[in-house]
């Protein structure tokens, strides 16, 4: 500080140290309304959280440098309950979910934004844990969180904590995937087992005891997508991660958007035994249960073998398999050949199976 | 539909019309948990909302085409209460807030994403009104909403509706603004009167009756920024919209980030008479009251006159004025020369003046 004549009255009216160096927040403090005020308390909260994100500052806006012309933008709010579950938490889920949505456009995610809506009274420690989880997941993805926002609402005006992540990505060279690009004859590839996320959340939430055996599959899929696009950019027609609504809803959306029929082989569907058992008990269809770590792809028949082999070289695609095909019949419909040889229609999830799954 | 043999059992097991054409939602329906499920009800909700946004589809991710290398990303959640207030609503505010945050980086906003968190039981009509307001504001800004997300949480798990908007922009040629770029000698320009948004919200919320006289200043400022940058790209050092925490908090953050002192002239501060009167009654400092439609700029002294004249040519800058200067003293401090000639320190807002102002 200079010795300008005006510094003296300044020092008298307020503690200059306190004004410039936010006091460290105690472990047992709780989030107050003032933490979202834009004022001093918020500066303290950000000074506490920002280093945990591994980013220099959470400014209102940030520059993302890229030389590509095609920029992909995707956003998702996360309201999952419970916030901590077998295999992940709301923080890692928020990163993976948005990274995967960007990736499903055939893009390489390059930056994320993160907006918190926090209920007054949330233990600060929990906010820290979640923030650290965001940072860890973002680092593992190689996608930085570059900007953010924090709002605090009164007790009862939110259920603890909601996150909204938005991702920016650049299209991979040659990629032209879209839900409307499925062609009759395309083979349908699935990168891994289904039902793990939804059953894990439900089990943790309801205390059903499955959670010791079943963990959410939450994981980033952008490297898998890059590998698939590299193996056949023009041949990968559709990419989709079957999250809310499950595989059935994702396939129905693709069937409608592309005006094709889809035929599935039940015998090919990778439903883990624990998921099948839990679904049996809970009266759920595994095809409607949310996933957070697998993708479904529609690939030109002649390239499908090559793409499948490429997928299997990565851990997140190690169990990739062929589960069906697109056809020029029953447009907009998904039909499954069951284990006993009959055919049944696979509908979209109607209503709500499990609220706040992500 | 083709006459493929499989169409018959399909038609028997589910109504194909209902499955492919979402039923229009009635005016008096309320949002259900199922509206956020990823399934059929959500498809119906989106089919209802998307046309109101004026965007072809609210997919998980979207392409934003730009040839520029410097991409700006900004995100903000909006939890304002009440959701409708004199001068705007949560929808227009969410667009303006994010457009302005992108603009304050010296950037031209090119696309927005929009994420809803909706409480079960919110009248659908209200969601429509807000969505229409988003669309209107986005259209007026010339910045499309290109992607979105919808989550529904149970009754009591949110207070009606929260929005998160994220903006992508491209840096204007030559722009190099940053909160840390203020230089001693810079003049401080303010684009319009202060205190209107905060007083409007408080008045509406508390039924104080000021709302007939005072309307929020919520408006987009990106055109004003473009005009200012065109008038002197290298000379505009800092741009900031003083939202939560008010002008005082914004100036304190700039003083700290740039390691300069800031001197304000109280006689120059444009505080509308109704705002001053309301603040008097409510015990508020107009300098701490939130704004949503004005900006403060630090401009090199030699260019300030030119930039000010350029600002005044636009409606949103018509009442722009010089309010102070940056100096090489009392670094990190904002000092105001009062009307009676004394000096007082202008502190950041401490604690919470008015929760859920935006």
């Amino acid at each position: 500080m200079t010795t300008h004549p005006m510094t003296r009255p300044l020092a008298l009216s307020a503690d200059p140290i306190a004004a410039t160096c936010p006091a460290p927040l105690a472990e047992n403090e709780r989030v107050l309304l003032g933490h979202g005020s834009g004022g001093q308390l918020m500066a303290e909260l950000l000074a506490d959280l920002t280093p945990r994100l591994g980013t220099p500052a959470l400014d209102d806006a940030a520059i993302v440098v890229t030389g590509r012309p095609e920029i992909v933008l995707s956003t998702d709010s996360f309201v999952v309950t419970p916030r901590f579950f077998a295999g992940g938490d709301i923080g890692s889920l928020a990163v993976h979910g948005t990274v995967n949505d960007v990736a499903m456009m055939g893009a390489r995610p390059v930056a994320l934004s993160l907006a918190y809506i926090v209920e007054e009274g949330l233990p600060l420690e929990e906010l820290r844990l979640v923030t650290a989880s965001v940072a860890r997941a973002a680092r593992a993805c190689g996608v930085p969180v570059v900007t953010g926002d924090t709002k605090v609402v009164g007790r009862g005006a939110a259920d603890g904590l909601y996150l909204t992540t938005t991702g920016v990505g650049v299209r991979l060279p040659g990629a032209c995937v879209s839900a409307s690009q499925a062609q009759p004859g395309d083979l349908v590839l699935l990168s891994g087992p289904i039902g793990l996320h939804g059953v894990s959340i439900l089990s943790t939430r309801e205390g059903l005891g499955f959670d010791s055996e079943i963990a959410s599959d939450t994981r980033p899929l952008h490297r898998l997508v890059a590998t698939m696009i590299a193996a056949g950019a023009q041949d990968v027609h559709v990419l989709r991660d079957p999250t809310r609504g499950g595989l059935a809803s994702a396939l129905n959306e693709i069937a409608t958007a592309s005006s094709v029929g889809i035929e599935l082989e039940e015998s090919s569907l990778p439903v883990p035994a624990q998921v099948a058992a839990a679904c049996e008990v809970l009266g759920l269809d595994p095809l409607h249960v949310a996933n957070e770590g697998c993708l479904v792809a529609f690939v030109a028949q002649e390239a499908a073998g090559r793409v499948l082999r490429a997928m299997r070289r990565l851990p997140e695609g190690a169990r990739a398999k062929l589960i069906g095909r697109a056809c020029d019949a029953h447009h907009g419909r998904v039909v499954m050949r069951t284990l006993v040889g009959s055919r049944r229609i696979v509908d979209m999830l109607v209503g709500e199976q499990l609220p706040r799954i992500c």
Side-chain angles (χ1 to χ4, degrees), chain A:
Chain A
M1 201 170 246
T2 68
T3 53
H4 187 276
M6 281 167 100
T7 54
R8 200 168 302 277
L10 295 183
L12 286 176
S13 71
D15 178 357
I17 303 296
T20 51
C21 304
L25 299 171
E27 294 225 341
N28 58 354
E29 272 187 77
R30 285 167 181 268
V31 173
L32 307 173
L33 277 173
H35 280 134
S37 69
Q40 183 69 27
L41 278 175
M42 183 160 150
E44 290 173 20
L45 182 67
L46 290 179
D48 184 273
L49 295 179
T50 301
R52 296 170 203 268
L53 266 177
T55 180
L58 274 183
D59 288 329
D60 284 341
I63 296 171
V64 183
V65 180
T66 165
R68 303 281 184 145
E70 277 197 323
I71 304 297
V72 169
L73 180 66
S74 179
T75 196
D76 258 329
S77 292
F78 293 86
V79 299
V80 63
T81 179
R83 285 186 285 280
F84 298 86
F85 47 84
D89 58 66
I90 190 172
S92 57
L93 193 65
V95 170
H96 298 158
T98 291
V99 159
N100 290 350
D101 278 346
V102 170
M104 294 310 133
M105 294 286 291
R108 177 174 59 87
V110 296
L112 295 172
S113 68
L114 172 66
Y116 301 86
I117 296 175
V118 189
E119 184 187 11
E120 178 188 25
L122 183 80
L124 185 57
E125 193 53 30
E126 184 165 346
L127 196 54
R128 285 170 171 152
L129 281 174
V130 169
T131 302
S133 175
V134 166
R136 203 161 38 241
R139 205 160 41 235
C141 291
V143 183
V145 177
V146 296
T147 185
D149 181 52
T150 309
K151 294 289 190 299
V152 181
V153 297
R155 282 170 199 268
D159 184 12
L161 173 65
Y162 300 141
L163 299 181
T164 302
T165 43
T166 305
V168 169
V170 292
R171 270 278 174 119
L172 293 163
C176 53
V177 297
S178 155
S180 63
Q181 293 297 309
Q183 308 292 327
D186 280 357
L187 299 186
V188 183
L189 308 180
L190 181 68
S191 71
I194 60 170
L196 290 164
H197 180 72
V199 169
S200 165
I201 293 291
L202 188 57
S203 177
T204 310
R205 195 188 299 176
E206 307 297 341
L208 297 177
F210 300 125
D211 47 323
S212 56
E213 310 160 34
I214 302 176
S216 167
D217 61 342
T218 178
R219 68 165 66 85
L221 297 168
H222 59 310
R223 296 188 182 96
L224 183 62
V225 167
T227 299
M228 295 169 72
I229 297 291
Q234 301 297 318
D235 301 312
V236 180
H237 298 154
V238 182
L239 289 170
R240 188 68 176 267
D241 55 337
T243 55
R244 282 185 289 172
L247 182 62
S249 298
L251 291 176
N252 271 281
E253 285 173 26
I254 293 164
T256 300
S258 297
S259 290
V260 297
I262 297 175
E263 294 178 340
L264 293 184
E265 288 291 335
E266 186 170 22
S267 61
S268 305
L269 287 180
V271 181
Q274 312 99 304
V275 169
C279 285
E280 180 91 18
V281 171
L282 299 166
L284 301 177
D285 182 342
L287 286 167
H288 285 150
V289 176
N291 311 283
E292 292 288 346
C294 65
L295 65 79
V296 63
F298 285 64
V299 182
Q301 186 170 358
E302 60 275 17
R306 187 170 70 241
V307 171
L308 195 56
R309 284 190 297 278
M311 292 172 75
R312 289 177 174 160
R313 281 196 287 270
L314 293 184
E316 58 268 42
R319 288 185 282 173
K321 61 189 303 189
L322 172 66
I323 61 165
R325 60 193 309 139
C327 58
D328 192 15
H330 54 88
H331 294 172
R333 287 287 184 171
V334 182
V335 174
M336 185 161 73
R337 200 164 67 184
T338 66
L339 294 172
V340 294
S342 68
R343 289 170 185 269
R344 78 163 173 98
I345 296 163
V346 177
D347 275 322
M348 283 186 86
L349 175 62
V350 176
E352 180 60 78
Q353 187 188 65
L354 193 56
R356 300 179 61 188
I357 192 74
C358 63

Short mmCIF file of all heavy atoms in Angstrom, two decimals, chain A residues 33-72:
data_model
loop_
_atom_site.label_atom_id
_atom_site.label_comp_id
_atom_site.label_asym_id
_atom_site.label_seq_id
_atom_site.Cartn_x
_atom_site.Cartn_y
_atom_site.Cartn_z
N LEU A 33 -26.75 -17.19 2.87
CA LEU A 33 -27.27 -16.43 1.73
C LEU A 33 -26.22 -15.47 1.20
O LEU A 33 -26.09 -15.28 -0.01
CB LEU A 33 -28.52 -15.65 2.16
CG LEU A 33 -29.81 -16.48 2.14
CD1 LEU A 33 -30.94 -15.68 2.73
CD2 LEU A 33 -30.14 -16.92 0.74
N GLY A 34 -25.46 -14.90 2.07
CA GLY A 34 -24.45 -13.93 1.65
C GLY A 34 -23.38 -14.53 0.76
O GLY A 34 -22.71 -13.81 0.02
N HIS A 35 -23.22 -15.83 0.78
CA HIS A 35 -22.21 -16.46 -0.08
C HIS A 35 -22.57 -16.34 -1.56
O HIS A 35 -21.73 -16.58 -2.42
CB HIS A 35 -22.04 -17.93 0.30
CG HIS A 35 -21.18 -18.14 1.51
ND1 HIS A 35 -21.52 -18.98 2.54
CD2 HIS A 35 -19.99 -17.60 1.86
CE1 HIS A 35 -20.57 -18.96 3.46
NE2 HIS A 35 -19.63 -18.12 3.08
N GLY A 36 -23.78 -15.96 -1.84
CA GLY A 36 -24.16 -15.78 -3.24
C GLY A 36 -24.44 -14.34 -3.58
O GLY A 36 -25.04 -14.07 -4.62
N SER A 37 -23.95 -13.43 -2.76
CA SER A 37 -24.39 -12.04 -2.86
C SER A 37 -23.65 -11.23 -3.91
O SER A 37 -24.07 -10.14 -4.25
CB SER A 37 -24.19 -11.35 -1.52
OG SER A 37 -22.80 -11.22 -1.27
N GLY A 38 -22.53 -11.69 -4.39
CA GLY A 38 -21.68 -10.86 -5.25
C GLY A 38 -20.78 -9.97 -4.43
O GLY A 38 -19.99 -9.20 -5.00
N GLY A 39 -20.89 -10.06 -3.13
CA GLY A 39 -20.10 -9.20 -2.26
C GLY A 39 -18.95 -9.94 -1.59
O GLY A 39 -18.40 -10.90 -2.15
N GLN A 40 -18.65 -9.55 -0.41
CA GLN A 40 -17.45 -10.01 0.28
C GLN A 40 -17.52 -11.51 0.61
O GLN A 40 -16.57 -12.25 0.38
CB GLN A 40 -17.26 -9.18 1.56
CG GLN A 40 -16.02 -9.50 2.34
CD GLN A 40 -14.77 -9.07 1.61
OE1 GLN A 40 -14.80 -8.14 0.80
NE2 GLN A 40 -13.68 -9.77 1.86
N LEU A 41 -18.64 -11.91 1.17
CA LEU A 41 -18.75 -13.32 1.54
C LEU A 41 -18.60 -14.22 0.32
O LEU A 41 -18.00 -15.29 0.39
CB LEU A 41 -20.10 -13.59 2.22
CG LEU A 41 -20.19 -13.25 3.71
CD1 LEU A 41 -21.61 -13.45 4.20
CD2 LEU A 41 -19.23 -14.11 4.52
N MET A 42 -19.10 -13.76 -0.80
CA MET A 42 -18.99 -14.57 -2.01
C MET A 42 -17.53 -14.63 -2.46
O MET A 42 -17.06 -15.69 -2.91
CB MET A 42 -19.86 -14.00 -3.11
CG MET A 42 -19.84 -14.85 -4.36
SD MET A 42 -21.27 -14.51 -5.39
CE MET A 42 -20.58 -14.85 -6.99
N ALA A 43 -16.84 -13.51 -2.33
CA ALA A 43 -15.41 -13.52 -2.68
C ALA A 43 -14.68 -14.54 -1.82
O ALA A 43 -13.80 -15.26 -2.29
CB ALA A 43 -14.83 -12.12 -2.49
N GLU A 44 -15.08 -14.63 -0.56
CA GLU A 44 -14.46 -15.60 0.34
C GLU A 44 -14.77 -17.03 -0.09
O GLU A 44 -13.90 -17.90 -0.10
CB GLU A 44 -14.94 -15.38 1.78
CG GLU A 44 -14.41 -14.09 2.37
CD GLU A 44 -15.02 -13.79 3.73
OE1 GLU A 44 -15.54 -14.70 4.38
OE2 GLU A 44 -14.97 -12.61 4.13
N LEU A 45 -15.99 -17.23 -0.44
CA LEU A 45 -16.39 -18.58 -0.87
C LEU A 45 -15.62 -18.98 -2.13
O LEU A 45 -15.10 -20.09 -2.24
CB LEU A 45 -17.89 -18.63 -1.13
CG LEU A 45 -18.45 -19.99 -1.55
CD1 LEU A 45 -18.35 -20.99 -0.41
CD2 LEU A 45 -19.89 -19.86 -2.01
N LEU A 46 -15.53 -18.04 -3.08
CA LEU A 46 -14.83 -18.35 -4.34
C LEU A 46 -13.35 -18.55 -4.09
O LEU A 46 -12.73 -19.43 -4.70
CB LEU A 46 -15.06 -17.23 -5.36
CG LEU A 46 -16.47 -17.15 -5.92
CD1 LEU A 46 -16.60 -16.01 -6.91
CD2 LEU A 46 -16.88 -18.46 -6.58
N ALA A 47 -12.81 -17.75 -3.19
CA ALA A 47 -11.38 -17.92 -2.87
C ALA A 47 -11.15 -19.29 -2.25
O ALA A 47 -10.07 -19.87 -2.37
CB ALA A 47 -10.93 -16.82 -1.92
N ASP A 48 -12.17 -19.81 -1.61
CA ASP A 48 -12.07 -21.14 -1.01
C ASP A 48 -12.25 -22.24 -2.05
O ASP A 48 -11.56 -23.26 -2.03
CB ASP A 48 -13.14 -21.26 0.08
CG ASP A 48 -13.04 -22.57 0.84
OD1 ASP A 48 -13.64 -23.54 0.38
OD2 ASP A 48 -12.34 -22.61 1.87
N LEU A 49 -13.17 -22.02 -2.98
CA LEU A 49 -13.53 -23.09 -3.92
C LEU A 49 -12.62 -23.14 -5.15
O LEU A 49 -12.36 -24.22 -5.67
CB LEU A 49 -14.98 -22.90 -4.39
CG LEU A 49 -16.06 -23.06 -3.34
CD1 LEU A 49 -17.42 -22.82 -3.96
CD2 LEU A 49 -16.00 -24.45 -2.70
N THR A 50 -12.19 -21.96 -5.61
CA THR A 50 -11.48 -21.90 -6.88
C THR A 50 -10.23 -22.77 -6.92
O THR A 50 -10.04 -23.52 -7.88
CB THR A 50 -11.17 -20.44 -7.24
OG1 THR A 50 -12.41 -19.73 -7.31
CG2 THR A 50 -10.48 -20.34 -8.56
N PRO A 51 -9.41 -22.71 -5.88
CA PRO A 51 -8.21 -23.57 -5.95
C PRO A 51 -8.57 -25.05 -6.03
O PRO A 51 -7.84 -25.84 -6.63
CB PRO A 51 -7.49 -23.27 -4.63
CG PRO A 51 -8.03 -21.97 -4.16
CD PRO A 51 -9.45 -21.91 -4.65
N ARG A 52 -9.70 -25.42 -5.47
CA ARG A 52 -10.12 -26.83 -5.51
C ARG A 52 -10.52 -27.24 -6.92
O ARG A 52 -10.56 -28.42 -7.24
CB ARG A 52 -11.30 -27.05 -4.56
CG ARG A 52 -10.93 -26.79 -3.12
CD ARG A 52 -12.14 -26.76 -2.20
NE ARG A 52 -11.83 -26.01 -0.99
CZ ARG A 52 -11.36 -26.56 0.13
NH1 ARG A 52 -11.20 -27.84 0.21
NH2 ARG A 52 -11.05 -25.81 1.17
N LEU A 53 -10.85 -26.26 -7.71
CA LEU A 53 -11.20 -26.56 -9.10
C LEU A 53 -9.97 -26.67 -9.98
O LEU A 53 -10.07 -27.11 -11.12
CB LEU A 53 -12.10 -25.45 -9.66
CG LEU A 53 -13.59 -25.66 -9.58
CD1 LEU A 53 -14.32 -24.45 -10.11
CD2 LEU A 53 -14.01 -26.91 -10.32
N GLY A 54 -8.85 -26.20 -9.48
CA GLY A 54 -7.63 -26.26 -10.27
C GLY A 54 -7.64 -25.27 -11.42
O GLY A 54 -6.99 -25.46 -12.44
N THR A 55 -8.41 -24.19 -11.28
CA THR A 55 -8.49 -23.17 -12.31
C THR A 55 -8.10 -21.84 -11.68
O THR A 55 -8.33 -21.63 -10.50
CB THR A 55 -9.93 -23.15 -12.89
OG1 THR A 55 -10.01 -22.14 -13.90
CG2 THR A 55 -10.97 -22.86 -11.85
N PRO A 56 -7.46 -20.95 -12.45
CA PRO A 56 -6.95 -19.72 -11.82
C PRO A 56 -8.04 -18.84 -11.25
O PRO A 56 -7.86 -18.24 -10.20
CB PRO A 56 -6.20 -19.01 -12.95
CG PRO A 56 -6.60 -19.69 -14.21
CD PRO A 56 -7.10 -21.04 -13.86
N ALA A 57 -9.17 -18.74 -11.89
CA ALA A 57 -10.23 -17.88 -11.36
C ALA A 57 -11.56 -18.28 -11.98
O ALA A 57 -11.62 -18.78 -13.10
CB ALA A 57 -9.94 -16.42 -11.68
N LEU A 58 -12.62 -18.10 -11.23
CA LEU A 58 -13.96 -18.36 -11.76
C LEU A 58 -14.59 -17.01 -12.12
O LEU A 58 -15.44 -16.50 -11.42
CB LEU A 58 -14.81 -19.08 -10.71
CG LEU A 58 -14.71 -20.59 -10.67
CD1 LEU A 58 -15.65 -21.18 -9.64
CD2 LEU A 58 -14.99 -21.19 -12.03
N ASP A 59 -14.14 -16.43 -13.21
CA ASP A 59 -14.69 -15.15 -13.65
C ASP A 59 -16.05 -15.34 -14.30
O ASP A 59 -16.47 -16.46 -14.56
CB ASP A 59 -13.73 -14.47 -14.63
CG ASP A 59 -12.50 -13.95 -13.92
OD1 ASP A 59 -12.63 -13.58 -12.74
OD2 ASP A 59 -11.43 -13.93 -14.54
N ASP A 60 -16.70 -14.23 -14.60
CA ASP A 60 -18.01 -14.28 -15.25
C ASP A 60 -17.92 -14.89 -16.65
O ASP A 60 -18.88 -15.48 -17.13
CB ASP A 60 -18.62 -12.89 -15.35
CG ASP A 60 -19.16 -12.43 -14.01
OD1 ASP A 60 -19.38 -13.27 -13.12
OD2 ASP A 60 -19.36 -11.22 -13.86
N ALA A 61 -16.81 -14.69 -17.31
CA ALA A 61 -16.67 -15.22 -18.66
C ALA A 61 -15.20 -15.54 -18.90
O ALA A 61 -14.32 -15.10 -18.15
CB ALA A 61 -17.17 -14.20 -19.69
N ALA A 62 -14.93 -16.35 -19.92
CA ALA A 62 -13.57 -16.80 -20.14
C ALA A 62 -13.33 -17.04 -21.62
O ALA A 62 -14.26 -17.25 -22.39
CB ALA A 62 -13.30 -18.09 -19.38
N ILE A 63 -12.08 -17.00 -22.00
CA ILE A 63 -11.71 -17.23 -23.39
C ILE A 63 -11.34 -18.69 -23.59
O ILE A 63 -10.59 -19.25 -22.81
CB ILE A 63 -10.53 -16.34 -23.78
CG1 ILE A 63 -10.96 -14.87 -23.70
CG2 ILE A 63 -10.03 -16.67 -25.18
CD1 ILE A 63 -9.83 -13.91 -23.84
N VAL A 64 -11.87 -19.27 -24.61
CA VAL A 64 -11.53 -20.63 -24.98
C VAL A 64 -10.86 -20.52 -26.35
O VAL A 64 -11.49 -20.12 -27.31
CB VAL A 64 -12.78 -21.51 -25.10
CG1 VAL A 64 -12.40 -22.94 -25.43
CG2 VAL A 64 -13.59 -21.43 -23.83
N VAL A 65 -9.60 -20.83 -26.40
CA VAL A 65 -8.88 -20.66 -27.66
C VAL A 65 -9.01 -21.94 -28.50
O VAL A 65 -8.77 -23.03 -28.02
CB VAL A 65 -7.39 -20.36 -27.41
CG1 VAL A 65 -6.66 -20.20 -28.73
CG2 VAL A 65 -7.26 -19.09 -26.59
N THR A 66 -9.43 -21.77 -29.72
CA THR A 66 -9.49 -22.91 -30.65
C THR A 66 -9.40 -22.39 -32.07
O THR A 66 -9.86 -21.30 -32.37
CB THR A 66 -10.81 -23.71 -30.48
OG1 THR A 66 -10.96 -24.55 -31.62
CG2 THR A 66 -12.00 -22.80 -30.40
N GLY A 67 -8.80 -23.17 -32.92
CA GLY A 67 -8.67 -22.75 -34.32
C GLY A 67 -9.74 -23.35 -35.22
O GLY A 67 -9.77 -23.09 -36.40
N ARG A 68 -10.62 -24.15 -34.64
CA ARG A 68 -11.61 -24.84 -35.47
C ARG A 68 -12.83 -23.97 -35.74
O ARG A 68 -13.22 -23.19 -34.88
CB ARG A 68 -12.09 -26.11 -34.75
CG ARG A 68 -10.97 -27.04 -34.41
CD ARG A 68 -10.57 -27.85 -35.62
NE ARG A 68 -9.56 -28.80 -35.23
CZ ARG A 68 -9.45 -30.01 -35.75
NH1 ARG A 68 -10.28 -30.41 -36.69
NH2 ARG A 68 -8.50 -30.82 -35.35
N PRO A 69 -13.51 -24.22 -36.87
CA PRO A 69 -14.71 -23.43 -37.16
C PRO A 69 -15.97 -23.99 -36.51
O PRO A 69 -16.87 -23.24 -36.19
CB PRO A 69 -14.83 -23.51 -38.68
CG PRO A 69 -14.17 -24.79 -39.04
CD PRO A 69 -13.15 -25.08 -37.99
N GLU A 70 -16.05 -25.30 -36.27
CA GLU A 70 -17.29 -25.87 -35.78
C GLU A 70 -17.23 -26.05 -34.27
O GLU A 70 -16.53 -26.94 -33.77
CB GLU A 70 -17.60 -27.20 -36.47
CG GLU A 70 -18.28 -27.01 -37.82
CD GLU A 70 -18.92 -28.30 -38.27
OE1 GLU A 70 -18.34 -29.37 -38.03
OE2 GLU A 70 -20.01 -28.24 -38.87
N ILE A 71 -17.96 -25.19 -33.55
CA ILE A 71 -17.96 -25.20 -32.10
C ILE A 71 -19.24 -25.88 -31.63
O ILE A 71 -20.33 -25.54 -32.07
CB ILE A 71 -17.95 -23.75 -31.57
CG1 ILE A 71 -16.77 -22.97 -32.12
CG2 ILE A 71 -17.96 -23.74 -30.05
CD1 ILE A 71 -15.45 -23.51 -31.71
N VAL A 72 -19.11 -26.83 -30.73
CA VAL A 72 -20.27 -27.52 -30.16
C VAL A 72 -20.52 -27.00 -28.75
O VAL A 72 -19.57 -26.78 -27.99
CB VAL A 72 -20.04 -29.05 -30.14
CG1 VAL A 72 -21.11 -29.76 -29.33
CG2 VAL A 72 -20.02 -29.59 -31.57
#
